[in-house]
Amino acid sequence: EKSVPNLGNVTYEESCLGLIVNFNGGAEVNGYIWRFGDPNNSNDISDESNPTYTYSETGTYTVTLIPADGAACQDTAKFDVMVEGPKELPFEITGDPMACGQETSLFSVDDTNLMTRWIGADGTVLGEFNSIELGAGEYTVEVMNAEGCKGTQTLTVMDRSLNIELDENYNTCQGENFPIEVVNLNAGDILEYNWSPVDPDKIDLTDPSNPIFTLEETTTFTSVISNQFGCSIEREVTID
């Protein structure tokens, strides 16, 4: 009985550049000639163990392993190859996609072997290195490997800073209850309030977004307001 190669040990991979297919036959194909099944090339053959072949177009091709001359005890073997064409180079970007106002965060491409370019929304090249500090905005990240394959991603860094309305000075009559309101202009923000000094005789914090003041003299209060994204602001409020 004639022997055939174990096709489970024969592998192939298409380059991300497209059409270029790298075959790995190893010892399994010793004594065989490859025919790559390309109807557009009558010379689509190789006697190498691990050949590379460039197809003329995408499609599914039948590769045939043919016994070389004198290999009477070997039989042909066939398998299909799907050629898909150029592919985007996959990569991941690490970093916090949220910023508080003018703060910046460190962003990096996961593969340090890739050539990386960071581009701002206006097309300005911000840097050509693996890591970069970025603030809120829209960015394009381009990478390329040593083979020349490329990948592109869009990076959005959201500004999660607070947007509130709170006056700095209020006038009231001594001894009367005087409520003020902190207006949250970011509908999606969940706010926490930390007022000081906390004196129950002077400030009622039952609803910290609408504190009620009862004062006999001019007093300045400090409020640290933060949201669920870790952004915060500090405001001073003087009640006369």
Side-chain angles (χ1 to χ4, degrees):
E1 183 179 352
K2 293 183 178 182
S3 63
V4 295
N6 180 359
L7 295 181
N9 295 328
V10 178
T11 62
Y12 74 91
E13 183 178 15
E14 183 180 4
S15 164
C16 52
L17 292 173
L19 304 181
I20 302 171
V21 180
N22 301 306
F23 294 90
N24 188 350
E28 198 66 45
V29 298
N30 285 344
Y32 284 86
I33 295 173
W34 300 78
R35 181 169 289 279
F36 300 108
D38 187 349
N40 298 308
N41 183 4
S42 60
N43 193 34
D44 62 333
I45 59 174
S46 174
D47 59 1
E48 298 178 8
S49 296
N50 304 310
T52 296
Y53 183 76
T54 301
Y55 285 89
S56 54
E57 57 187 4
T58 60
T60 300
Y61 298 88
T62 299
V63 176
T64 305
L65 290 168
I66 305 169
D69 293 341
C73 294
Q74 295 174 317
D75 204 352
T76 60
K78 297 182 178 183
F79 63 95
D80 287 340
V81 171
M82 181 177 292
V83 180
E84 300 177 331
K87 302 179 185 67
E88 276 278 307
L89 192 64
F91 64 99
E92 293 185 6
I93 302 170
T94 60
D96 188 353
M98 293 183 291
C100 299
Q102 300 301 312
E103 291 182 0
T104 62
S105 296
L106 182 66
F107 291 85
S108 301
V109 168
D110 62 336
D111 188 343
T112 57
N113 293 317
L114 298 177
M115 298 173 59
T116 305
R117 174 179 291 180
W118 307 84
I119 304 172
D122 62 354
T124 302
V125 176
L126 305 175
E128 296 184 337
F129 21 76
N130 178 258
S131 299
I132 192 171
E133 289 276 346
L134 297 174
E138 295 279 344
Y139 305 93
T140 299
V141 186
E142 299 177 346
V143 299
M144 184 173 68
N145 65 11
E147 193 178 358
C149 302
K150 298 179 180 180
T152 303
Q153 289 188 34
T154 298
L155 172 63
T156 301
V157 183
M158 299 290 294
D159 183 2
R160 294 297 189 180
S161 57
L162 283 74
N163 187 11
I164 65 167
E165 286 184 353
L166 177 62
D167 290 341
E168 296 180 354
N169 293 281
Y170 295 88
N171 295 314
T172 183
C173 298
Q174 289 186 356
E176 77 172 7
N177 293 339
F178 183 75
I180 66 172
E181 180 183 8
V182 181
V183 180
N184 179 14
L185 299 177
N186 288 344
D189 278 8
I190 302 172
L191 301 183
E192 292 186 0
Y193 305 83
N194 183 10
W195 290 90
S196 63
V198 178
D199 184 340
D201 294 329
K202 296 182 178 180
I203 181 171
D204 180 353
L205 293 175
T206 302
D207 179 359
S209 66
N210 294 276
I212 300 173
F213 297 90
T214 306
L215 301 174
E216 299 295 338
E217 59 185 6
T218 299
T219 306
T220 298
F221 294 86
T222 300
S223 179
V224 178
I225 307 171
S226 57
N227 63 16
Q228 72 270 34
F229 305 110
C231 300
S232 64
I233 57 174
E234 182 177 311
R235 292 286 183 83
E236 286 191 348
V237 176
T238 299
I239 313 294
D240 288 329

